[in-house]
Amino acid sequence: MNPIIDFLSYNLRRMAIPVGGVGLLFINTIKSFRPPWERENIVNQMVQVGVMSLPVVMITGLFTGMVLAAQTYYQFHKLTVETAVGLVVGLSMTRELGPVLAGLMLAGRIGAAFASEIGTMTVTEQVDALHTLATDPVKYLVVPRLIACAALVPILTIITVFIGIAGGYVVGVKMFGINGTYYLRNMSEYMCPWDIMGGLVKAFIFGIVIAIIGCYKGFNTEGGAEGVGRATTGAVVTSCILILILDFFIVFIYKGLGVG
Amino acid sequence: MIEIKGLHKSFGGNPVLNGVNLNIQKGETMVIIGQSGGGKSVLLKHIVGILKPDEGEVWVDGVNITNMDNNALNKVRCRFGMLFQGAALFDSLTVGENVSFALKRYTALSEKDIQEKVKEKLALVGLRDIENIKPAELSGGMKKRVGLARAIAMDPEVVFYDEPTTGVDPIMADAINNLILDLHNKLKITSIAVTHDMVSAYKIADRIAMLYQGAIIGVGTPDEIKETTNPIIHQFITGEAQGPIPH
C-alpha cells in the first residue's frame, strides 16, 4: 500500500479513538444524570472548582484588563480617541479574553487536578474497586465534576470579566487620566447584553470540555506515576487546544445566528 | 455456582486468556495459581464483570452475566466482595467511610447501625479504633485488612482475593491466610483467590487451578496438585528455574 495512505490512515485511527472515547464518556455522563445524586461529592467538587480557583481567575482578569487598557491607550492616544479604551476593554473582556483566558487557566488548574486524581485512582485499582462495590464510576466521579464545571466556570468567567474591566478602569482613568464618565459611557453605550451572555455560553461549553477531557484522560491512564504525569499533561494540552478551536467556531456560529 | 466457559481476551493483539474453562462450587475456596503477568487478575476481573471477554461466557448461579447491562450487573456485584492486590482503598475517604461505602448506598441501615457494622467488620479482621484514619496512614498489612473488611461489609456470598499475601511480610501473610480461612469458616462464603504464593495456596485452598498460557491446565485438591505428574505444574509449585516454563 501507499506509505502516505498508510501514514494518514494510522494517524486518523489514532485520532479517532480518543475522539470516540470522549464522545462516549460524555453520552454516558448525560445518561448518568439521575438521582440519587452524589451530594457530598458535588459540594466537594464545587469547592475545588469554584472557591479554590478564585485567586487564579481574579489575578488573570485583573492583569489582562490592565495590560489591555495600557496597550490600547498607547495606540488610541495617537489618534486622540482615548475614551474608546473602556469600550475596547469591555468588549474584549466579555466576548473573548474573559471566557478564553479563564478557560485556559481553569484547564490548567482543574483539568490537571481531575486527570491526576482519577488517573491515580485508575492505576491503583480504585476505579475497579468502585465497580466491585456496585458503583458506576461515571456517576460517582464524572457527574459531580461536570456539574461543578458547567455551573461554576461561567461564574468564574463573570468574575474574571468584571475584575478585568475594573483593572482597565483603574489603568485608563486613574493612571492615564482618561475622563471616567466618557470611559464608562462609551462602554455602556456600545455594548449589549449579548456580549456578556455570549461569553457565558462559551464559558459553559469550556467548562464541559475541561471536565470531560480531564476525566477521560484520568480513566485512560496506563502505567504508574509516569502514566499519571502523561495523562495530566495530555488533559491540559487537549483542553487548551479544544478551547481555542471551539472559540474560533463559536464566533461564526454566533454570527450565523445573528447574535455575534 | 460460578462457571467460566471458553474465555478469551487479548490486549493490543496479545492473547492473555486463551479459552479458560473453570467451575467453582458453592462454599469452596478455589485458588488460581500461575506466573506473574499470566492473566490471573484479568481472569478475576472478568468474573466480577470489570472486563468484558472477546469470546466466552461467565455464569453465576445459572445466569449469564457476560453481556449484562450495568444496572443488572451491579445487582450481581452486591453479592460479591473483592480484595485487591494493593487494597485499592479510596484515599480521599477515611477507613470508616471505605468500609461503609456500599452499606450507605445499598442498605436502609441507620447511621448508628452502619457504624456498628463497620466496627464489627473491622473487628473480624483484627482492627479496632481506626475508623477516622486515612488509608495513607496505614501499613501495607493494615490496608489489606481494611480492604478485606470493605469486601465483606455487605455480607457477600462470594469473595475474590487478588494476590492477598503479596507485598506483606511472611508473618502478616500467614495472618491474612488465617483471616481468609476464618472468614470462610464463619461466614460460609465461596472464595476465589489468585496467587503465586504456594504456601498461601496450600493453606487456604479446597481446590487449586493452574493458569498457564491463558488456559487452565490442571485442577485438583492441594494434595492432588502436590503429587501431580504434569511437568509444568510440578515446576511451578516447586519453584524450580529449570523446566518447561521459560523464565
Side-chain angles (χ1 to χ4, degrees):
Chain A
M1 212 194 226
N2 189 328
I4 297 171
I5 294 174
D6 269 356
F7 175 80
L8 285 175
S9 77
Y10 171 76
N11 280 294
L12 275 175
R13 250 182 297 146
R14 259 189 60 188
M15 277 168 64
I17 292 167
V19 170
V22 167
L24 274 177
L25 178 61
F26 182 64
I27 292 166
N28 284 338
T29 310
I30 299 301
K31 279 185 187 167
S32 303
F33 263 80
R34 56 173 195 275
W37 301 101
E38 298 284 346
R39 285 199 186 87
E40 205 176 315
N41 251 353
I42 293 171
V43 171
N44 282 342
Q45 289 308 322
M46 287 199 152
V47 171
Q48 286 300 320
V49 171
V51 181
M52 309 299 271
S53 301
L54 267 176
V56 172
V57 296
M58 285 168 82
I59 291 169
T60 306
L62 181 67
F63 283 92
T64 306
M66 291 200 302
V67 167
L68 187 61
Q71 290 284 17
T72 312
Y73 173 82
Y74 290 132
Q75 304 310 314
F76 282 19
H77 181 61
K78 295 173 195 165
L79 307 166
T80 64
V81 285
E82 299 93 333
T83 49
V85 168
L87 174 63
V88 172
V89 172
L91 273 180
S92 308
M93 286 304 296
T94 51
R95 285 186 170 210
E96 288 302 331
L97 294 178
V100 173
L101 289 180
L104 293 177
M105 294 306 284
L106 293 171
R109 212 197 85 77
I110 306 166
F114 288 175
S116 60
E117 196 179 337
I118 297 178
T120 306
M121 288 184 75
T122 303
V123 298
T124 55
E125 294 185 306
Q126 291 178 53
V127 173
D128 287 343
L130 282 173
H131 282 293
T132 63
L133 292 162
T135 302
D136 177 9
V138 172
K139 192 170 166 57
Y140 184 74
L141 295 171
V142 188
V143 170
R145 284 166 172 80
L146 185 67
I147 290 174
C149 280
L152 295 179
V153 172
I155 292 173
L156 290 167
T157 300
I158 293 180
I159 294 168
T160 310
V161 167
F162 279 98
I163 290 190
I165 289 173
Y169 181 87
V170 170
V171 169
V173 175
K174 303 292 175 194
M175 267 179 71
F176 295 122
I178 301 170
N179 185 309
T181 313
Y182 281 122
Y183 185 98
L184 291 174
R185 206 181 72 185
N186 273 346
M187 197 190 295
S188 57
E189 219 164 81
Y190 293 101
M191 283 179 70
C192 62
W194 179 255
D195 291 325
I196 294 172
M197 271 309 294
L200 290 186
V201 172
K202 276 186 190 177
F204 174 76
I205 295 168
F206 297 162
I208 291 172
V209 167
I210 292 167
I212 293 293
I213 298 291
C215 294
Y216 173 79
K217 291 285 182 184
F219 281 129
N220 287 280
T221 305
E222 284 174 352
E226 194 189 346
V228 175
R230 258 200 314 272
T232 309
T233 312
V236 176
V237 172
T238 312
S239 301
C240 289
I241 289 172
L242 272 178
I243 285 170
L244 294 171
I245 294 173
L246 283 172
D247 184 51
F248 174 76
F249 286 108
I250 291 169
V251 168
F252 292 99
I253 292 169
Y254 284 175
K255 263 282 175 242
L257 294 171
V259 291
Chain B
M1 173 165 199
I2 295 173
E3 210 175 333
I4 301 153
K5 299 178 182 176
L7 219 58
H8 285 77
K9 182 72 178 180
S10 298
F11 292 104
N14 299 319
V16 176
L17 301 180
N18 207 3
V20 174
N21 292 294
L22 189 64
N23 286 324
I24 295 131
Q25 307 299 322
K26 196 174 174 70
E28 78 169 335
T29 298
M30 167 68 81
V31 174
I32 301 163
I33 57 171
Q35 288 174 282
S36 297
K40 303 187 297 295
S41 299
V42 171
L43 175 59
L44 217 52
K45 286 179 183 177
H46 276 89
I47 306 173
V48 193
I50 296 173
L51 293 174
K52 296 279 179 205
D54 299 335
E55 229 180 279
E57 291 166 350
V58 176
W59 291 68
V60 177
D61 281 340
V63 179
N64 184 355
I65 67 159
T66 321
N67 293 314
M68 266 185 178
D69 64 61
N70 262 338
N71 285 339
L73 200 53
N74 280 343
K75 283 182 187 138
V76 177
R77 283 173 179 151
C78 282
R79 298 162 55 196
F80 294 166
M82 183 159 175
L83 170 63
F84 286 85
Q85 192 172 343
L89 299 176
F90 304 125
D91 27 46
S92 58
L93 306 180
T94 62
V95 166
E97 287 166 338
N98 265 284
V99 179
S100 63
F101 191 89
L103 292 169
K104 282 182 179 166
R105 281 174 167 70
Y106 298 106
T107 66
L109 293 174
S110 67
E111 188 56 37
K112 191 174 162 246
D113 290 341
I114 287 175
Q115 292 315 319
E116 272 174 23
K117 194 121 181 159
V118 168
K119 278 186 195 299
E120 175 200 322
K121 297 301 177 188
L122 285 172
L124 257 179
V125 297
L127 296 170
R128 52 181 50 83
D129 299 330
I130 59 160
E131 289 90 328
N132 297 320
I133 292 175
K134 285 278 179 82
E137 297 167 54
L138 301 175
S139 68
M142 284 171 93
K143 278 183 188 167
K144 289 236 170 177
R145 284 164 180 247
V146 175
L148 194 48
R150 184 178 69 182
I152 58 167
M154 290 280 283
D155 300 322
E157 294 166 42
V158 187
V159 178
F160 300 90
Y161 303 91
D162 187 1
E163 307 277 8
T165 54
T166 300
V168 292
D169 64 71
I171 295 165
M172 182 54 74
D174 195 48
I176 289 173
N177 286 335
N178 287 338
L179 265 176
I180 295 172
L181 278 174
D182 211 27
L183 290 173
H184 180 71
N185 295 334
K186 276 184 190 161
L187 307 175
K188 305 292 172 212
I189 48 180
T190 306
S191 305
I192 302 167
V194 303
T195 185
H196 50 243
D197 174 0
M198 289 314 300
V199 176
S200 172
Y202 290 143
K203 184 155 188 174
I204 64 174
D206 291 320
R207 286 195 302 154
I208 296 174
M210 167 108 184
L211 183 70
Y212 181 68
Q213 291 186 338
I216 299 291
I217 58 163
V219 184
T221 62
D223 288 337
E224 286 167 349
I225 291 290
K226 278 177 194 167
E227 286 158 21
T228 184
T229 53
N230 183 318
I232 295 168
I233 300 177
H234 180 78
Q235 186 194 347
F236 185 82
I237 62 172
T238 52
E240 289 164 4
Q242 299 302 317
I245 303 175
H247 55 87

